[in-house]
Amino acid sequence: MTRQGEHSRRSTRLSLQIPVLLACLDPAHDFREECKTAVVNAHGCGVIVHERLKNETPVMVKLIANGAIAKGRVVLAIQLL
């Protein structure tokens, strides 16, 4: 039996396509791409981009609809075939 918090979800994932601008905050890496979210939850989102970003890369996510901005980091990058 696992304790509360171990292996439990913090919030529900929703399949939503929300237009966002994703930009890398690392000055050594010039990355900026308009894309759509694939999944979102209260703690972040998943996006599909054309260039793989390394885990822990600091990023900025800007909502296209209203200009709201949030800073975050890449937690897991998976290459799609």
Side-chain angles (χ1 to χ4, degrees):
M1 181 173 195
T2 61
R3 293 180 299 191
Q4 180 66 20
E6 281 186 38
H7 309 295
S8 65
R9 296 224 39 85
R10 295 189 296 170
S11 66
T12 302
R13 288 183 184 148
L14 302 173
S15 294
L16 294 174
Q17 292 188 348
I18 302 169
V20 296
L21 173 67
L22 184 70
C24 182
L25 296 175
D26 181 356
H29 189 75
D30 184 28
F31 175 85
R32 185 179 179 95
E33 184 173 331
E34 282 192 28
C35 54
K36 291 183 179 178
T37 61
V39 293
V40 298
N41 68 18
H43 307 284
C45 64
V47 296
I48 298 173
V49 294
H50 292 97
E51 183 179 337
R52 185 172 181 179
L53 297 171
K54 293 181 181 179
N55 291 349
E56 302 301 322
T57 300
V59 293
M60 180 268 310
V61 180
K62 180 178 180 181
L63 290 176
I64 302 294
N66 65 7
I69 295 174
K71 291 182 182 179
R73 63 185 170 87
V74 175
V75 174
L76 178 63
I78 300 171
Q79 183 175 354
L80 299 177
L81 300 175

